[in-house]
Amino acid sequence: MYQGKNFSERASIFIKLLLPVLVYQVISYSSGMIGTFMAGHYSPTDLAGVSMGVNIWNPIMYTLNAIVLALIPIVSQLIGKNKEEEIPTVVRQFLYIAVIISIVLIIGLNTLATPIVDQLGMDSNIAKITKNYLFYESFGVLSIFLYVVLRSFIDSLGLTRLSMIMMIVSVPVNVFFAYSFIFGKFGMPELGGAGNAVAVSVTYTVLFFIALFIVLTNPKINKYKIFEKEKVKFEKWGEIFKLGIPMALATALETVVFSTLSLMVSRFDTTVIASHQAALNFSGFLYTLPVSVANTATIIIAFHVGAKDYKLATEYTKLTVIMGMILSSIAGLIVLLFDTKIPYLYTNDSGVITLTAELLLFAIGFAICDSFASALAGVLRGYKKVVPICVVMFIGYYLVGIPTAYYFVFKQGIGIEGLWIGWIIGLAVYALGVLFYYLYMRRGISRKIKLVK
């Protein structure tokens, strides 16, 4: 599994595993983008309201999701160690944790969302849409977390093609319900931009039941019998949270900084907020390329680390960086070629279109930095080296990125462009930090390779 005797064979293995992950990530994000497109065409105010809702929701959801995503390196290493008999218990514990997290998050969204939004001082019309968006998101929380556990389990077994198929099936579901609830079609209530949150909740509920069906019927998966009755084993939670909490912290540091910088624009006018959200939304789409490489690397690297084959782990790390650079170059090229056309996907408002086109050029800087940062972060997760990621991310984002953006926006009066400049500078520092840490860790890896020889 994931061996490869030479570069060509390893590249073939990597690409075979990467393509379904890439398709999954692109379709997953594109599906969400469609709802954003619809909200923008409903009205710039709805696009701005959805923007603020996303900037509050994403840090919470992605951070907590990262805890259950720790399942992937844990299971992949167990397979590498030939300890597959321990996998069912681990997956069951993750399911229990997912249920607890969901309950806490549902309560939090329905009690804290309104006071949080009220403190941001945004336009009352935008604030109303944001509150509704967060309320409707709470409907699908349990389905989201249970689905992520099942999908992570499937991916950790190397069956990434199944995740891709699930996401492809979900697209028409999401598009139908987003259109129906945003514009009030097919007998559904007209909810405006907030209707996108209803569509997301429904879509993830459908995805959960599809994943459940696959886990119960696929012979490569149902042999683990993960739904057999077993009590909670808190002694297993130690390993889960030892890896999951740092992963959640790293995710929190990343998503919170993006949302914090975006919330800085909450006091700007609707045109600036809508333009920022449109550019940010498309940048997120491009980000799926290096993230797919990172997720693929985590699966393969974790397997070889579990098998103590550090030489092959190092070879796959080189391949990971190469693939990350290639895909990031493609992302930058897309922006250069279609910079003036992309904004029309989000709105027909001329002011929003002009400013969005200007902001999209900054996405090229994102792509360059992500080619190193995301790829090597995926490698480090395979080694279960998550804490160093948190440290360099905190330095890059919080000690450099946010202060720089604040200085440019509020002290120098550069405006929204200053925010993006500060953002990229922070991301560049983070990318360099991850690179330097890996090079430092590589010395130890080289010593282990010599010991194996």
Side-chain angles (χ1 to χ4, degrees):
M1 188 175 182
Y2 313 138
Q3 296 301 316
K5 297 179 181 179
N6 51 50
F7 181 84
S8 178
E9 289 186 9
R10 288 191 292 273
S12 177
I13 292 170
F14 193 96
I15 293 173
K16 184 178 180 180
L17 191 61
L18 168 65
L19 286 179
V21 176
L22 179 60
V23 172
Y24 176 93
Q25 291 288 343
V26 170
I27 292 178
S28 176
Y29 198 87
S30 299
S31 185
M33 287 176 68
I34 292 172
T36 304
F37 297 160
M38 292 181 186
H41 284 281
Y42 189 84
S43 79
T45 300
D46 280 79
L47 177 58
V50 170
S51 163
M52 294 298 105
V54 168
N55 287 324
I56 294 171
W57 165 249
N58 279 356
I60 299 171
M61 192 269 288
Y62 286 134
T63 296
L64 296 177
N65 251 338
I67 296 176
V68 295
L69 284 173
L71 175 68
I72 295 177
I74 291 175
V75 170
S76 293
Q77 284 203 12
L78 286 174
I79 295 173
K81 294 176 181 177
N82 290 318
K83 294 183 177 180
E84 292 188 64
E85 69 280 359
E86 298 180 18
I87 291 176
T89 294
V90 170
V91 177
R92 291 173 196 136
Q93 301 310 307
F94 270 97
L95 288 170
Y96 295 145
I97 291 171
V99 171
I100 293 173
I101 291 175
S102 299
I103 293 172
V104 173
L105 183 52
I106 291 171
I107 295 173
L109 280 175
N110 285 279
T111 57
L112 301 176
T114 296
I116 289 174
V117 173
D118 288 339
Q119 291 298 313
L120 296 176
M122 65 180 74
D123 177 84
S124 60
N125 292 324
I126 296 176
K128 181 179 179 181
I129 296 168
T130 300
K131 292 175 185 178
N132 289 336
Y133 181 91
L134 294 173
F135 172 70
Y136 293 132
E137 281 286 8
S138 68
F139 293 178
V141 167
L142 181 61
S143 295
I144 290 173
F145 281 90
L146 291 178
Y147 163 71
V148 170
V149 172
L150 296 182
R151 194 208 82 208
S152 298
F153 174 45
I154 292 170
D155 286 350
S156 66
L157 299 177
L159 304 174
T160 54
R161 181 171 172 271
L162 293 176
S163 293
M164 176 190 72
I165 293 173
M166 285 191 289
M167 187 51 61
I168 291 175
V169 172
S170 76
V171 171
V173 176
N174 183 71
V175 171
F176 172 78
F177 284 106
Y179 179 71
S180 299
F181 283 106
I182 290 175
F183 295 100
K185 304 296 183 179
F186 308 109
M188 304 297 181
E190 185 176 343
L191 302 176
N196 188 40
V198 180
V200 171
S201 295
V202 173
T203 301
Y204 272 100
T205 300
V206 172
L207 277 171
F208 165 67
F209 283 107
I210 294 175
L212 181 63
F213 175 79
I214 291 174
V215 169
L216 291 174
T217 59
N218 189 291
K220 294 181 179 180
I221 305 173
N222 65 13
K223 66 179 182 179
Y224 292 100
K225 302 186 185 302
I226 65 170
F227 292 111
E228 286 190 355
K229 187 176 180 180
E230 184 177 37
K231 66 179 182 179
V232 174
K233 293 186 176 181
F234 291 109
E235 64 271 17
K236 296 289 185 180
W237 289 27
E239 179 189 6
I240 291 173
F241 287 119
K242 183 178 179 181
L243 181 61
I245 289 178
M247 286 181 64
L249 179 59
T251 303
L253 289 171
E254 185 168 28
T255 55
V256 168
V257 73
F258 290 147
S259 293
T260 299
L261 291 170
S262 294
L263 291 173
M264 282 186 186
V265 306
S266 64
R267 297 181 185 274
F268 286 95
D269 60 37
T270 300
T271 298
V272 173
I273 295 176
S275 300
H276 171 77
Q277 173 59 23
L280 179 63
N281 187 262
F282 193 80
S283 296
F285 167 71
L286 298 179
Y287 183 60
T288 61
L289 302 181
V291 163
S292 299
V293 173
N295 292 344
T296 303
T298 298
I299 297 170
I300 295 179
I301 298 296
F303 172 81
H304 287 297
V305 171
K308 298 186 182 302
D309 192 340
Y310 300 107
K311 183 176 180 179
L312 266 181
T314 300
E315 293 302 318
Y316 273 109
T317 296
K318 298 175 184 177
L319 187 57
T320 297
V321 173
I322 292 172
M323 292 301 301
M325 293 176 65
I326 291 173
L327 291 184
S328 293
S329 298
I330 293 174
L333 185 60
I334 290 173
V335 174
L336 285 175
L337 292 177
F338 302 103
D339 175 55
T340 59
K341 302 293 188 294
I342 294 169
Y344 286 95
L345 295 171
Y346 294 90
T347 184
N348 293 319
D349 185 283
S350 59
V352 175
I353 289 172
T354 301
L355 183 54
T356 300
E358 293 177 9
L359 297 179
L360 277 172
L361 294 176
F362 291 102
I364 298 174
F366 274 50
I368 294 172
C369 296
D370 283 337
S371 66
F372 290 100
S374 297
L376 289 178
V379 170
L380 293 178
R381 284 196 297 271
Y383 280 95
K384 294 185 178 180
K385 300 290 186 180
V386 185
V387 174
I389 298 176
C390 297
V391 174
V392 296
M393 189 180 290
F394 179 80
I395 294 172
Y397 288 166
Y398 291 85
L399 299 186
V400 178
I402 290 180
T404 303
Y406 182 87
Y407 176 76
F408 285 149
V409 174
F410 296 107
K411 298 299 182 181
Q412 294 296 312
I414 296 178
I416 189 65
E417 291 86 356
L419 182 144
W420 282 71
I421 294 171
W423 207 337
I424 293 175
I425 291 173
L427 182 56
V429 172
Y430 164 53
L432 288 173
V434 174
L435 177 60
F436 289 150
Y437 177 78
Y438 175 75
L439 294 175
Y440 166 78
M441 188 185 73
R442 187 177 176 181
R443 297 178 183 177
I445 296 173
S446 298
R447 287 195 292 269
K448 289 183 179 180
I449 293 174
K450 291 178 181 179
L451 288 175
V452 170
K453 289 181 178 180

